[in-house]
Amino acid sequence: MKILSDQNYRPGLEGVIATETTLSYLDVEQEQIVIRGYDLIELATKVDYLRVAYLLVAGHLPTETEYNAFTEQLTAEQKVPEEIFQIMGSLGPHTHLMDAVRTGLSALATFDPALTDRDPDNTWRQALTLLATMPTIVANSYHIQNHEPVIYPDPTLGYSRNFLQMITGRIPDDTETRAFDQLLTVYSEHEMPNSTFTAIVIASTLSDMYGALVGAIASLKGTLHGGANEAVMKMLLEMQSPDQVEPYLMEKLAKKERIMGFGHRVYMRKPDPRALLMKESLKELVAIKGHHDLYEMCVKGEEVMQREKGLFPNLDYYAAPVYYLLDVPIELYTPIFFAARTAGLVAHVREQYEHNRLFRPRVLYTGPRNLHP
């Protein structure tokens, strides 16, 4: 077997092609996120999250008949076994909500009667179960950790409206629901980030779908991946007002501290199209709910970072204040990211099963040789 030389080594696997996929592609030059042939931003403005989820998992946009059957199946699968809530309630007082969700998902796997069956019909069923139950688990991870009553799904509400009402305890209006639905859509799939790669590496061993997603949660928890959205909101709250944005950022930059919400391993010097959409969504919410200073802070921060570092905001930068205006607790930002990304993750896992090859890379060894005891 050929040993890779340093000519082939890329720290962090940057730019390395890891797999073939028909699911998505980040076309940086065209500033487009391709989802099974469609532009993700166009999808987010024209269809709802569940249609995009169906597209990812099934491979095509649903007909009305397929969509209705899909939503009925998801509604039927929304209920989570009470034992899951009991397990989540037994966790320690300092539990991060991503760890609570990870535990809930891992426990949910034990209720699957065909956990290791990788037949396409069964993995379709598992995909629907995960899509249906993740909002219930995610929303209630917060309530349980804060000793609040569990909020159960309302089968009379649509997917996104129901998800948001389980978080806030109130039924959101149409503007709030649309903003939240767009958030779910733009987070639904993004080619091959660390968490998706983790999921398909696990799936390549022929482990079960739940296990693959448990690994993805652990990856997504990190502040360099999903946790960035929480850090962005905390940063905005520390700034307090638009006139404090520039001095705050300049001080951070002088200390060579990382500014969360800017830069991206793939986009680098190109705008994240999802951030541009969420910027418009934030503008619409501000017009209705107030907090114009929050929008002004974000715009000012964008200007400073573009001037000083040549960096564009990524999705997290504008998603965070949208969450905030929707009354979503900061601790739930990353778990919601995972719930939305479940659609892409289960689609990748199913695709890996269909054309599987075990991942087994090599290393560039830099240690000593020929030592003797």
Side-chain angles (χ1 to χ4, degrees):
M1 180 181 293
K2 180 182 178 182
I3 305 299
L4 296 181
S5 71
D6 57 1
Q7 298 295 317
N8 306 102
Y9 173 57
R10 298 290 184 272
L13 302 182
E14 185 168 349
V16 173
I17 304 299
T19 190
E20 292 182 336
T21 182
T22 62
L23 285 166
S24 66
Y25 174 63
L26 306 186
D27 190 332
V28 180
E29 294 306 315
Q30 298 297 321
E31 298 179 17
Q32 187 181 60
I33 301 169
V34 181
I35 303 293
R36 290 203 185 270
Y38 296 90
D39 184 325
L40 175 62
I41 305 305
E42 184 178 6
L43 287 170
T45 59
K46 293 183 178 180
V47 301
D48 64 11
Y49 171 75
L50 284 190
R51 285 182 169 82
V52 176
Y54 188 96
L55 169 66
L56 285 166
V57 182
H60 62 274
L61 283 171
T63 64
E64 281 305 304
T65 299
E66 289 171 329
Y67 179 77
N68 291 336
F70 188 57
T71 55
E72 288 175 8
Q73 288 174 302
L74 291 176
T75 299
E77 292 285 334
Q78 283 178 329
K79 187 176 180 181
V80 172
E82 288 295 326
E83 292 89 341
I84 304 300
F85 297 139
Q86 293 169 10
I87 291 170
M88 293 170 69
S90 69
L91 301 176
H94 306 296
T95 300
H96 191 288
L97 293 190
M98 285 293 277
D99 294 332
V101 173
R102 184 189 66 202
T103 301
L105 174 56
S106 187
L108 184 66
T110 66
F111 288 85
D112 193 311
L115 180 63
T116 59
D117 183 354
R118 290 177 298 279
D119 179 83
D121 288 342
N122 190 58
T123 59
W124 170 264
R125 176 193 61 79
Q126 290 178 329
L128 263 63
T129 296
L130 289 163
L131 282 167
T133 55
M134 285 318 304
T136 308
I137 291 175
V138 164
N140 284 295
S141 68
Y142 178 83
H143 299 310
I144 291 169
Q145 195 66 17
N146 286 276
H147 308 290
E148 299 172 359
V150 168
I151 298 180
Y152 295 94
D154 185 340
T156 67
L157 302 177
Y159 188 91
S160 297
R161 196 187 302 270
N162 173 63
F163 193 172
L164 192 51
Q165 75 85 22
M166 284 194 292
I167 293 169
T168 65
R170 62 177 179 82
I171 298 178
D173 62 29
D174 290 345
T175 301
E176 292 173 316
T177 300
R178 175 158 177 75
F180 189 68
D181 188 86
Q182 282 193 339
L183 267 174
L184 297 181
T185 301
V186 295
Y187 272 122
S188 64
E189 166 61 10
H190 203 229
E191 197 201 80
M192 195 53 58
N194 192 289
S195 53
T196 301
F197 183 55
T198 300
I200 66 169
V201 168
I202 294 171
S204 78
T205 70
L206 300 185
S207 184
D208 63 274
M209 184 179 287
Y210 295 82
L213 266 65
V214 165
I217 292 179
S219 168
L220 195 59
K221 177 186 174 184
T223 55
L224 294 184
H225 192 359
N229 50 26
E230 299 177 22
V232 167
M233 197 62 234
K234 291 174 182 176
M235 177 182 72
L236 290 170
L237 291 174
E238 287 177 3
M239 291 176 182
Q240 297 185 331
S241 64
D243 62 348
Q244 293 299 311
V245 172
E246 183 160 355
Y248 179 97
L249 292 177
M250 294 302 292
E251 181 180 354
K252 291 279 189 183
L253 291 173
K255 295 178 180 178
K256 299 187 183 302
E257 294 181 11
R258 183 180 178 87
I259 308 298
M260 304 307 291
F262 288 91
H264 191 281
R265 177 70 68 85
V266 176
Y267 298 116
M268 298 299 287
R269 303 297 177 179
K270 292 281 188 175
D272 183 339
R274 304 168 302 168
L276 301 178
L277 179 64
M278 283 300 101
K279 184 177 182 179
E280 290 303 308
S281 185
L282 177 62
K283 191 174 182 179
E284 292 174 10
L285 281 174
V286 163
I288 296 171
K289 300 172 75 70
H291 293 282
H292 292 274
D293 58 335
L294 187 57
Y295 180 78
E296 293 170 12
M297 289 167 65
C298 290
V299 173
K300 183 63 177 178
E302 182 179 350
E303 292 171 355
V304 171
M305 291 301 291
Q306 176 62 32
R307 183 191 72 211
E308 296 295 325
K309 304 296 289 185
L311 294 176
F312 293 94
N314 57 40
L315 170 58
D316 293 318
Y317 185 71
Y318 278 105
V322 170
Y323 279 133
Y324 188 76
L325 291 185
L326 293 175
D327 299 324
V328 175
I330 294 175
E331 302 96 312
L332 273 175
Y333 291 7
T334 309
I336 293 169
F337 179 168
F338 175 76
R341 184 58 57 82
T342 297
L345 288 169
V346 296
H348 276 285
V349 170
R350 294 184 82 229
E351 185 178 61
Q352 182 65 36
Y353 286 155
E354 291 169 4
H355 308 285
N356 191 56
R357 182 172 175 80
L358 177 69
F359 281 91
R360 178 55 174 93
R362 297 298 305 276
V363 301
L364 175 64
Y365 179 70
T366 59
R369 296 285 299 270
N370 301 317
L371 298 180
H372 302 282

